[in-house]
Amino acid sequence: MALLLPRRTAVTLGAALALAIIAMPLALGPVLTRGVPAAGIPPSAAHRLLIWDFVIHRIDDRPLLGWGMEASRSIPGRSDHPGPAALGRFGLDGGSASHGWLATAQLLPLHPHNGALQLRLELGWPGVVLAALLAAGLALACGNAVALAMLAAGAVTAMLSFGIWQEWWVGAELLALAAAAGVPRREADQASSESR
């Protein structure tokens, strides 16, 4: 899509990223409260559901301004283990050998493993709004299809994996940005930009 319709793809990606950053806690909260059958998924994915469930409740404790930057490592209850009710809600109380360790897993090891949830947990609404604007602006500033693809891939990884303040992760993002800036624009992209 980025090769065929670069401007439209940039606008769509920017809007999708902004919406995901703003709506993630609002969308995940009710789903996690009801529970998601997680017995058949890999243990690391099931653990993320338990982490996100805990984080959603901590967001509710300080919804406006959050807990502070890098506060994930000091949120009250972060070292606790999932209770029987949480394990039951996610279908993880059956004693499966592959999921057995979840009963002793920390509820928030280091960070939420979801960039949007981490922003909301730590920086509250001001941080989320700024991050949404930044994400939309980055998408619109992408000068070529490679940059758009790198931004999309980075966003998927940020929503499922690393802490957003980890130095190596931020460094990798900056390195990707520098690499994308060095990719020459296609003539069609340049002509499209000039006609705007």
Side-chain angles (χ1 to χ4, degrees), residues 116-163:
L117 291 182
Q118 187 172 357
L119 285 165
R120 183 70 193 281
L121 176 71
E122 294 181 359
L123 304 181
W125 277 111
V128 165
V129 170
L130 287 172
L133 290 171
L134 176 64
L138 281 172
L140 294 175
C142 286
N144 55 54
V146 172
L148 281 169
M150 291 169 86
L151 179 60
V156 169
T157 303
M159 295 299 182
L160 295 172
S161 295
F162 312 121

Side-chain angles (χ1 to χ4, degrees), residues 5 7 22 41-42 50 76 89 119-120 132 135 169:
L5 302 166
R7 185 69 181 159
I22 291 170
I41 65 175
L50 293 167
R89 208 165 8 104
L119 285 165
R120 183 70 193 281
W169 172 238

Side-chain angles (χ1 to χ4, degrees), residues 32-117:
L32 295 173
T33 298
R34 281 192 305 274
V36 176
I41 65 175
S44 61
H47 189 206
R48 275 175 175 64
L49 291 175
L50 293 167
I51 292 167
W52 296 346
D53 183 55
F54 173 78
V55 168
I56 293 290
H57 290 95
R58 297 297 73 82
I59 287 171
D60 290 344
D61 292 342
R62 295 191 181 175
L64 183 59
L65 297 177
W67 289 83
M69 187 170 176
E70 294 200 52
S72 292
R73 296 172 188 240
S74 59
I75 299 285
R78 66 168 287 283
S79 296
D80 293 348
H81 309 298
L87 292 170
R89 208 165 8 104
F90 292 100
L92 299 169
D93 54 353
S96 156
S98 64
H99 289 92
W101 66 273
L102 288 173
T104 61
Q106 288 185 349
L107 287 171
L108 183 56
L110 301 179
H111 54 79
H113 297 280
N114 181 303
L117 291 182

